Amino acid sequence: MSEAHIAVADIFCRYADQYCQQFPISPEQFKVLNLIKVCRTAALGGHLHRCDQCGYENPAYHAFRNRHWPKCHTVRAE
């Protein structure tokens, strides 16, 4: 993965456990941190877009739909 394309969720996946060991967080913060990590992944389910012409399949994964998380808010706005 290119450094220019690292998302916040990637950083959380990579460093959240280490961070939480050093800096305890509240249960609410822990819940949101984990939801951000799985936002738009197979963990939250999704559906499959399939081209009727060529059969190409593209999965579309669900977001956790939090109005404060730009990754969720942007899609709802579109």
Side-chain angles (χ1 to χ4, degrees):
M1 178 181 308
S2 165
E3 292 298 318
H5 293 98
I6 292 178
V8 172
D10 297 326
I11 294 168
F12 281 14
C13 287
R14 193 175 292 171
Y15 300 109
D17 293 338
Q18 180 182 345
Y19 180 87
C20 291
Q21 288 175 2
Q22 290 183 296
F23 307 99
I25 62 174
S26 72
E28 293 83 10
Q29 291 169 321
F30 185 76
K31 179 182 176 182
V32 172
L33 182 137
N34 284 316
L35 286 171
I36 289 171
K37 287 167 52 174
V38 299
C39 186
R40 302 222 174 273
T41 68
L44 294 180
H47 53 279
L48 192 62
H49 293 257
R50 179 178 292 141
C51 175
D52 293 335
Q53 303 294 320
C54 69
Y56 175 76
E57 296 180 342
N58 184 32
Y61 298 117
H62 296 170
F64 72 103
R65 301 186 70 178
N66 183 298
R67 66 183 178 160
H68 302 294
W69 182 234
K71 198 171 184 181
C72 294
H73 180 70
T74 302
V75 172
R76 288 185 78 190
E78 291 173 356

